[in-house]
Amino acid sequence: MAKQTELALIKQLKRELRHQAWLRKNLPRNAQQQSQRRIFTTRSKLTLQLGRAVDQ
């Protein structure tokens, strides 16, 4: 698998956070665990690539 760029990871993180907000609003307590996991892995990849913590 190709290494994702910093910009691609930032866009993916923003997309996942918007999706999480949508889930909370429209489908409470449904599929949020999977969304949380994707956000965590994306944020972790970005943190490793940048070498610092990511706040968003």
Side-chain angles (χ1 to χ4, degrees):
M1 183 164 73
K3 186 176 179 181
Q4 290 180 304
T5 65
E6 178 183 334
L7 182 60
L9 288 170
I10 290 170
K11 284 182 177 182
Q12 182 179 353
L13 179 59
K14 287 181 181 182
R15 190 170 39 250
E16 294 294 342
L17 290 171
R18 278 195 316 267
H19 180 67
Q20 180 186 36
W22 183 91
L23 282 173
R24 275 196 199 116
K25 180 181 176 186
N26 296 294
L27 301 172
R29 293 179 294 279
N30 186 22
Q32 288 187 24
Q33 183 67 29
Q34 186 176 9
S35 177
Q36 282 291 100
R37 186 177 304 119
R38 284 194 312 259
I39 290 170
F40 177 74
T41 56
T42 303
R43 189 172 278 156
S44 297
K45 287 178 190 177
L46 189 56
T47 298
L48 288 173
Q49 188 169 357
L50 295 177
R52 60 177 172 80
V54 178
D55 296 326
Q56 287 186 359

